[in-house]
Amino acid sequence: MEPRGQSKGHFVFFTCYTTVSAVIRCALILSLLLWASEAKEDLPECEETDYYFEYTECDSTGSRWRVAIPRSQGACTGLPDPVSGTDCSFSCNAGEFLEMSGQQCTQCAAGTYSLGSGIRFDEWDEIPAGFTSLATAGEEALSCNSSTWVPQGTHLQSNQDECTVSLIYAVHLKKQGSVSFEYQYVDSNIFFEFFVDLKSGPNILYWRTTGVLLGAKIIKPVLLKNIQIKGVAYTSECFQCRPGTFSKTPGSPSCELCARDTYSGKGASSCTHCNKETQFSSEGATECKEKPACSEKDYFQIHTPCDSEGKTQIIYKWIVPKICVEDVPGAVVLPPSGERQSCPPCNPGFYNNDTASCSPCPTGTYSNGMNACQKCPAGTEPTLGYEFKWWNTLPSNVKTSCFNVGNSKCDGMNGWEVAGDHIRSGAGGSDNDYLILNLRIPGFKLPTSMEGTTGREFGHITFVFETVCTADCELHFMVDMNRKSTTVVESWEGSKEKQSYTHIMTKNASVSYTWAFQRTNRAQDVRQHVNDIAKIYSITVTNAQNGVASSCHPCALVSQASGSSCVPCPAGHYIEKDTNQCRECPVDTYLSRHQIYGTEACLPCGPGSRSNKEHSLCFSDCTFAHATHNRTLTYDFGQLGPGGSIMNGPSFTSKGTKYFHFFNISLCGPEGERAAICNDNVTDLSSKNLLRESGEFVNNVETFICMSTIIPPDGRGFRTAVSSQSISLADIFLGATVENTLSGISVSPDLFGETSKGLPDVNFFYRSPQATSSWENGRSAVIKLRCNPEKPAREELTVPSKCPAGTCDGGTFYFLWESASACPQCTEADYHGIEGVCKGGVQDTHYVWNEPRLCTRGVSLPRKRSSPCEAIDLWLKLGLGTGAFTAVLLISVSCYFWKKNKKLEFKYSRLVMSANKECELPAADSCAIMEGEDNEEDVVYSNKPSLLGKLRSIAAKGNGESCESVQLKPKPERWVWG
């Protein structure tokens, strides 16, 4: 319904037919009329510059009103009345804007542009209206008031501290839209997230960054520019072209970059030329710069085609465009051209026909680069791959470029230059440009004789490089598989001597290898480190699809009569050199992935390991045996085999951000499969889309032992815990032993302390062959398994107290796994029996474990064993009792008679002593029994002289006495003398 109103003097009468669809519209018009009624009569009439038009919200019928909004309230009177607006679905085409006075689409003027139904932000001298930079600090006591996204003219730069900073933009879309932007994200120490789900209605866009400073290294910021949002209903004005761009015709949907040696200001319809004699500018320049003095970096050399004599001429040319002057002090001049040299050779696998260009050898042929291509002999096949060691021209599958989100002067420039025996980083546009070198490999193909094997190495890349720097330069090596996500594999900082690096491919996929060199991460207007360079001398890729051959190798034959037909050997077979026949590798050996010729191709497995059926790898079945003290200890680590994990920490960065080191461990893995997975869930827009499309982890590590850095959700504003910087610590199982040293890996005896249980610890040794900038042979790891019956079956994983991060040097990691499952299996020597009493003719034997019990599983404790026994017979009991009674009686009688005998001897002694010298016995004083004497009947006479009597007799003989007394046998009622 249309509103009706009329004015009388200073009063306004307003009638509104209030339907539900017109409530908001009527309220807005009413407020405007009330404001107008309060205006004074002496205010001037409003002119077109005093107000602007806006649309009201659309109602349920898709209608809206155009109303005039004063720029300054109360400055004038007589605003235009509200009128019916365009349909809510109305929009203008690109290059047009909606002129609100006539409500018609109008072309943008020259020097401006319009997206029609979208908006673009490409100028960042300040944060545009509508954007908000909001900093949060989580639970840590950080001061984040100064943390913000920083405008840098052509782009936005994120914060470089540990605060969480969100760039927020609210937009109302009339239909489902889209958002696009350009960004540079090179540092894994900063998390970059983008949240959006554009739909019709209000939308809020978030770009959020959080730094995690785990060391003294400065975080490299995220760079953001050219944000473009589509889906708005209309734009009421055109945007001026930013400096360095122009639009020469009306109705332009975008602005073009100014060409080299030209420049422009804001809103330009054309570009201004520089003075070509003394000035220059790159593409998209905002001003002209004075040309510097020429140096050696401003020219390069090329070789002319080889002539009939095999010679070539060296030609020197200035780099185009030439941005230097020669006629100033200190400038170098272009060296003279025309020097004849021998033609440089082609790379292995290529040939030339007396020309300057090299061509790949046809299929089935090979060349060392200096000779013509030849067919492989019978019984051999080409060794495919790439070997670039001569850099006369850029190979067809190698590309070079320059990239810098914040520096458009880098666009279109070559990043690297060929230099004969090496390729080196180029000049670039500024010192903080990323100079890119890219090598594309469509996939990998194993040699015919190795097809069907289950090895993990499909191929590898090896390159020799060197960096010479005076600033904080960095060289990054990155890998992109199947065009999903580029991952930084290794980085080198500062000057590095000439060295080699190898990366192994464990998946057969299309891969892109990228080298990115940056002289410094600090942007500067004046180039100061132009002489800092990176050199790559050679690049070698094995088993590359569509590769070339530099040599041939033997292949297996079906039979001697089959000619040169090459067939693949079965898995785990090597080729015998003399007969070219396939032979299976011996037991507990694995086939080398680098060559399969001769018995030396079968490498022995380490101690405590065995090979799988295909002889492709060695693994542990989680069992181990060790002989000690005439006893064999047998271990079964099956319960530990599925794996374990340990969260080490917390640790804190210099600003208090809390983080943990998370280790995931797969002790054995099923048949040697590496089951431990660490996922890197630091996401940006591209990885989120890839994750949604592929349904797979984009950045994850599968290995025996891996490590991730975990940021808890409560510290940085994250809704869930964030995992980052996942690395592999153990790709290959080397062996298990009770010794503390294996394959050059040593475990200090005092690292975990000696076991107090009297049992040896079992050490599992691993290695990761991927070389790093600090460890040429890769990282290594040791898991020490210690028997402890008091610990749970799978818990108690710890790291050394001396090395709280699990490593003391960054290259070798140590873990202690104390568990009852780490004890040896029980045997008969681990228990003993205890016999009970014989009861009822049955005797029981009970079995108990030896204390302390230091075994698990194995044999079980035997059950109670019962055996028959014989009871003592009754007659035997009686006999024993009678014998015992008789013995006691005899002892008693003997004691009694011994006492009587003593008395008799006493009486006899008195009698002898009272006798005279003539040996006469004294007369009896009385025949009666004296008091105290026993009756004669109790006297016992002995017919043997007593010992005392014998002694006395001997003594008497010695005195000359010839007589002696002899004890006579007793006779009744008389004495006998002799």
Side-chain angles (χ1 to χ4, degrees), residues 811-858:
T812 304
F813 291 77
Y814 304 95
F815 304 91
L816 176 63
W817 203 336
E818 285 190 280
S819 171
S821 299
C823 296
Q825 289 185 326
C826 296
T827 63
E828 289 78 2
D830 292 305
Y831 62 84
H832 63 277
I834 300 177
E835 294 183 350
V837 298
C838 185
K839 187 177 181 180
V842 178
Q843 186 179 30
D844 294 335
T845 302
H846 299 267
Y847 294 92
V848 295
W849 294 109
N850 298 336
E851 292 296 336
R853 181 184 174 183
L854 300 177
C855 65
T856 181
R857 298 183 299 277

Side-chain angles (χ1 to χ4, degrees), residues 391-417:
W391 301 93
N392 306 312
T393 58
L394 206 63
S396 59
N397 58 344
V398 177
K399 306 296 181 184
T400 178
S401 61
C402 181
F403 173 76
N404 192 333
V405 165
N407 179 22
S408 60
K409 295 180 293 184
C410 180
D411 299 339
M413 299 184 66
N414 289 332
W416 292 68
E417 303 169 351

Side-chain angles (χ1 to χ4, degrees), residues 670-739:
E671 288 289 325
E673 295 292 330
R674 297 169 290 185
I677 298 177
C678 291
N679 180 36
D680 189 349
N681 66 354
V682 178
T683 55
D684 56 16
L685 178 63
S686 60
S687 63
K688 278 188 175 181
N689 291 339
L690 290 169
L691 184 63
R692 189 179 299 114
E693 293 172 2
S694 65
E696 300 177 353
F697 291 116
V698 177
N699 296 320
N700 67 301
V701 176
E702 297 181 13
T703 183
F704 284 110
I705 306 174
C706 59
M707 181 183 73
S708 297
T709 301
I710 305 296
I711 311 298
D714 57 347
R716 299 283 85 212
F718 295 111
R719 289 169 288 184
T720 59
V722 175
S723 174
S724 177
Q725 304 174 10
S726 297
I727 60 174
S728 172
L729 304 180
D731 292 322
I732 300 175
F733 175 69
L734 300 178
T737 176
V738 296
E739 304 296 332

Side-chain angles (χ1 to χ4, degrees), residues 54-116:
E54 282 191 3
Y55 281 124
T56 61
E57 293 290 334
C58 295
D59 57 23
S60 59
T61 62
S63 300
R64 57 186 174 184
W65 289 84
R66 188 201 71 177
V67 296
I69 307 296
R71 298 186 185 277
S72 298
Q73 201 168 30
C76 62
T77 186
L79 291 174
D81 293 334
V83 298
S84 178
T86 59
D87 187 81
C88 287
S89 61
F90 174 83
S91 63
C92 295
N93 296 323
E96 298 178 340
F97 74 100
L98 182 62
E99 200 281 315
M100 296 293 290
S101 298
Q103 299 192 71
Q104 294 181 349
C105 293
T106 305
Q107 283 189 341
C108 293
T112 63
Y113 73 96
S114 169
L115 300 178

Side-chain angles (χ1 to χ4, degrees), residues 75 109 154 215 314 320 357 360-361 403 544 615 637 711 740 772 816 826 854 883 955:
T154 59
I314 299 178
V320 179
S357 61
C361 287
F403 173 76
H615 295 278
F637 304 117
I711 311 298
N740 286 329
T772 66
L816 176 63
C826 296
L854 300 177

Side-chain angles (χ1 to χ4, degrees), residues 19-82:
T19 62
V20 175
S21 62
V23 171
I24 300 177
R25 179 181 59 191
C26 293
L28 179 60
I29 297 174
L30 178 60
S31 63
L32 293 175
L33 292 177
L34 290 175
W35 171 81
S37 66
E38 297 176 356
K40 298 181 179 179
E41 293 183 351
D42 56 351
L43 291 178
E45 290 290 330
C46 292
E47 299 181 359
E48 292 184 359
T49 58
D50 295 328
Y51 58 87
Y52 61 95
F53 293 106
E54 282 191 3
Y55 281 124
T56 61
E57 293 290 334
C58 295
D59 57 23
S60 59
T61 62
S63 300
R64 57 186 174 184
W65 289 84
R66 188 201 71 177
V67 296
I69 307 296
R71 298 186 185 277
S72 298
Q73 201 168 30
C76 62
T77 186
L79 291 174
D81 293 334

Side-chain angles (χ1 to χ4, degrees), residues 75-357:
C76 62
T77 186
L79 291 174
D81 293 334
V83 298
S84 178
T86 59
D87 187 81
C88 287
S89 61
F90 174 83
S91 63
C92 295
N93 296 323
E96 298 178 340
F97 74 100
L98 182 62
E99 200 281 315
M100 296 293 290
S101 298
Q103 299 192 71
Q104 294 181 349
C105 293
T106 305
Q107 283 189 341
C108 293
T112 63
Y113 73 96
S114 169
L115 300 178
S117 61
I119 52 178
R120 177 186 296 161
F121 302 95
D122 55 6
E123 292 186 57
W124 303 96
D125 295 322
E126 59 182 5
I127 295 182
F131 282 88
T132 302
S133 181
L134 178 63
T136 57
E139 294 185 355
E140 288 84 0
L142 294 178
S143 177
C144 294
N145 296 331
S146 59
S147 298
T148 182
W149 286 78
V150 182
Q152 297 288 345
T154 59
H155 63 280
L156 271 178
Q157 177 179 297
S158 71
N159 60 307
Q160 293 179 263
D161 54 25
E162 296 174 291
C163 296
T164 298
V165 182
S166 299
L167 181 68
I168 305 173
Y169 183 75
V171 61
H172 190 99
L173 301 183
K174 299 301 180 182
K175 56 183 178 180
Q176 186 175 3
S178 63
V179 59
S180 63
F181 55 89
E182 298 178 32
Y183 68 97
Q184 178 177 306
Y185 178 28
V186 298
D187 195 341
S188 60
N189 287 323
I190 189 170
F191 302 153
F192 178 45
E193 300 174 292
F194 175 67
F195 305 99
V196 63
D197 186 15
L198 293 182
K199 55 186 178 181
S200 59
N203 293 269
I204 300 179
L205 310 181
Y206 290 91
W207 292 266
R208 187 167 69 184
T209 60
T210 301
V212 180
L213 195 60
L214 298 180
K217 182 180 177 181
I218 299 177
I219 297 176
K220 291 187 177 181
V222 175
L223 306 184
L224 183 66
K225 74 173 185 178
N226 291 341
I227 298 177
Q228 181 172 295
I229 303 172
K230 292 183 178 181
V232 298
Y234 66 94
T235 176
S236 58
E237 61 180 350
C238 296
F239 300 97
Q240 289 185 318
C241 293
R242 62 180 176 85
T245 63
F246 73 101
S247 64
K248 61 182 178 180
T249 58
S252 297
S254 61
C255 299
E256 302 177 30
L257 290 174
C258 288
R260 296 183 183 276
D261 296 329
T262 64
Y263 72 98
S264 71
K266 189 172 184 177
S269 58
S270 62
C271 298
T272 305
H273 289 275
C274 300
N275 184 347
K276 291 185 178 181
E277 298 296 329
T278 59
Q279 295 179 327
F280 78 99
S281 70
S282 58
E283 190 178 32
T286 60
E287 61 180 357
C288 294
K289 294 183 178 181
E290 298 297 324
K291 291 183 177 180
C294 292
S295 66
E296 289 82 358
K297 295 292 294 183
D298 294 312
Y299 65 84
F300 65 99
Q301 66 179 26
I302 61 172
H303 295 81
T304 61
C306 294
D307 55 24
S308 58
E309 299 179 358
K311 299 292 184 179
T312 181
Q313 290 185 344
I314 299 178
I315 305 298
Y316 294 93
K317 292 185 177 182
W318 293 110
I319 295 176
V320 179
K322 183 182 178 183
I323 59 173
C324 65
V325 291
E326 303 176 63
D327 54 350
V328 295
V332 301
V333 296
L334 196 67
S337 301
E339 179 184 358
R340 287 169 57 83
Q341 292 182 350
S342 298
C343 288
C346 295
N347 283 309
F350 291 83
Y351 74 100
N352 61 31
N353 294 325
D354 297 330
T355 63
S357 61

